[in-house]
Coordinates of all heavy atoms in Angstrom, one line a residue:
P1 N 0.8 -1.2 0.0 CA 0.0 0.0 0.0 C 0.8 1.3 0.0 O 0.4 2.3 -0.5 CB -0.8 -0.1 1.3 CG -0.1 -1.1 2.1 CD 0.6 -2.0 1.2
A2 N 2.1 1.2 0.5 CA 3.0 2.3 0.5 C 4.4 1.7 0.7 O 4.6 0.6 1.2 CB 2.7 3.2 1.7
G3 N 5.4 2.5 0.2 CA 6.8 2.1 0.4 C 7.2 2.0 1.9 O 6.6 2.6 2.7
I4 N 8.2 1.2 2.2 CA 8.6 1.0 3.5 C 10.1 1.3 3.6 O 10.9 0.7 2.9 CB 8.4 -0.4 4.0 CG1 6.9 -0.9 4.0 CG2 8.9 -0.6 5.5 CD1 6.7 -2.3 4.2
A5 N 10.5 2.2 4.5 CA 11.9 2.5 4.8 C 12.0 2.4 6.3 O 11.4 3.2 7.0 CB 12.3 3.8 4.3
S6 N 12.7 1.4 6.8 CA 12.8 1.3 8.3 C 14.2 1.0 8.7 O 15.0 0.4 8.0 CB 11.9 0.1 8.8 OG 12.4 -1.1 8.3
L7 N 14.5 1.4 10.0 CA 15.8 1.2 10.6 C 15.5 0.7 12.0 O 14.8 1.3 12.8 CB 16.6 2.5 10.6 CG 18.0 2.4 11.3 CD1 18.9 1.4 10.6 CD2 18.6 3.7 11.4
T8 N 16.1 -0.5 12.4 CA 16.0 -1.0 13.7 C 17.4 -1.1 14.4 O 18.3 -1.5 13.8 CB 15.4 -2.4 13.6 OG1 14.2 -2.4 13.0 CG2 15.2 -3.0 15.1
L9 N 17.4 -0.6 15.6 CA 18.6 -0.6 16.4 C 18.3 -1.3 17.7 O 17.2 -1.1 18.3 CB 19.2 0.8 16.7 CG 19.5 1.7 15.4 CD1 19.9 3.1 15.9 CD2 20.6 1.0 14.6
G10 N 19.3 -2.1 18.2 CA 19.1 -2.8 19.4 C 20.4 -3.1 20.1 O 21.5 -2.7 19.7
Q11 N 20.3 -3.8 21.3 CA 21.5 -4.1 22.1 C 22.3 -5.0 21.3 O 21.9 -5.7 20.4 CB 21.0 -4.7 23.4 CG 20.3 -3.7 24.3 CD 19.6 -4.4 25.4 OE1 18.5 -4.9 25.3 NE2 20.2 -4.4 26.6
N12 N 23.6 -5.2 21.8 CA 24.5 -6.1 21.2 C 24.8 -5.9 19.7 O 24.9 -6.8 18.9 CB 24.1 -7.6 21.5 CG 23.9 -7.8 22.9 OD1 24.8 -7.6 23.8 ND2 22.7 -8.3 23.3
R13 N 24.8 -4.6 19.3 CA 25.1 -4.2 18.0 C 24.1 -4.7 17.0 O 24.4 -5.0 15.8 CB 26.5 -4.6 17.6 CG 27.6 -4.0 18.5 CD 29.0 -4.4 18.0 NE 29.3 -3.7 16.7 CZ 30.4 -4.0 16.0 NH1 31.2 -5.0 16.5 NH2 30.6 -3.4 14.9
Y14 N 22.8 -4.9 17.4 CA 21.8 -5.3 16.5 C 21.4 -4.2 15.6 O 21.1 -3.1 16.0 CB 20.6 -5.9 17.2 CG 19.5 -6.3 16.2 CD1 19.4 -7.6 15.8 CD2 18.5 -5.4 15.7 CE1 18.5 -8.0 14.9 CE2 17.6 -5.8 14.8 CZ 17.5 -7.1 14.4 OH 16.6 -7.5 13.5
T15 N 21.4 -4.4 14.3 CA 21.1 -3.4 13.3 C 20.3 -4.0 12.1 O 20.8 -5.1 11.6 CB 22.3 -2.6 12.7 OG1 23.1 -2.1 13.8 CG2 21.9 -1.5 11.9
R16 N 19.2 -3.4 11.7 CA 18.5 -4.0 10.6 C 18.0 -2.8 9.8 O 17.4 -1.8 10.4 CB 17.4 -4.9 10.9 CG 16.6 -5.4 9.7 CD 15.5 -6.3 10.1 NE 14.8 -6.8 8.9 CZ 13.5 -6.8 8.7 NH1 12.7 -6.2 9.7 NH2 12.9 -7.2 7.6
A17 N 18.2 -2.8 8.5 CA 17.6 -1.8 7.6 C 16.8 -2.4 6.5 O 17.3 -3.4 5.9 CB 18.8 -0.9 7.0
L18 N 15.6 -1.9 6.2 CA 14.7 -2.5 5.2 C 14.2 -1.4 4.3 O 13.8 -0.3 4.8 CB 13.5 -3.1 5.9 CG 12.4 -3.6 4.9 CD1 12.9 -4.7 4.0 CD2 11.2 -4.1 5.7
L19 N 14.3 -1.6 3.0 CA 13.7 -0.7 2.0 C 12.9 -1.6 1.1 O 13.3 -2.6 0.5 CB 14.8 0.0 1.2 CG 14.3 0.9 0.1 CD1 13.6 2.1 0.6 CD2 15.5 1.3 -0.8
A20 N 11.6 -1.2 0.9 CA 10.7 -2.0 0.1 C 9.6 -1.1 -0.5 O 9.1 -0.2 0.1 CB 10.0 -3.1 0.9
K21 N 9.3 -1.3 -1.8 CA 8.3 -0.5 -2.5 C 7.8 -1.3 -3.7 O 8.5 -2.0 -4.3 CB 8.9 0.8 -2.9 CG 7.9 1.8 -3.5 CD 8.5 3.2 -3.8 CE 7.5 4.1 -4.5 NZ 6.3 4.3 -3.7
S22 N 6.5 -1.0 -4.0 CA 6.0 -1.5 -5.3 C 5.6 -0.3 -6.2 O 5.2 0.8 -5.7 CB 4.8 -2.4 -5.0 OG 3.8 -1.7 -4.3
T23 N 5.7 -0.5 -7.5 CA 5.5 0.6 -8.4 C 4.9 0.0 -9.7 O 5.2 -1.1 -10.0 CB 6.7 1.4 -8.7 OG1 6.4 2.5 -9.5 CG2 7.8 0.5 -9.4
A24 N 4.1 0.8 -10.4 CA 3.5 0.4 -11.6 C 4.7 0.2 -12.7 O 5.6 0.9 -12.7 CB 2.5 1.4 -12.2
A25 N 4.5 -0.9 -13.4 CA 5.5 -1.3 -14.4 C 4.8 -1.9 -15.6 O 4.3 -3.1 -15.5 CB 6.6 -2.2 -13.9
G26 N 4.5 -1.2 -16.7 CA 3.8 -1.7 -17.8 C 2.3 -1.9 -17.3 O 1.7 -1.1 -16.7
A27 N 1.9 -3.1 -17.7 CA 0.5 -3.5 -17.3 C 0.4 -4.1 -15.9 O -0.7 -4.5 -15.4 CB 0.0 -4.5 -18.3
G28 N 1.6 -4.2 -15.2 CA 1.6 -4.8 -13.9 C 2.2 -4.0 -12.8 O 2.3 -2.8 -12.9

């Protein structure tokens, strides 16, 4: 429904980055 840009930080050097999006491309 919308693009996602997220950043997660935690103890013990936990790091996660996510980028996701959908967009029209031709007929799909």
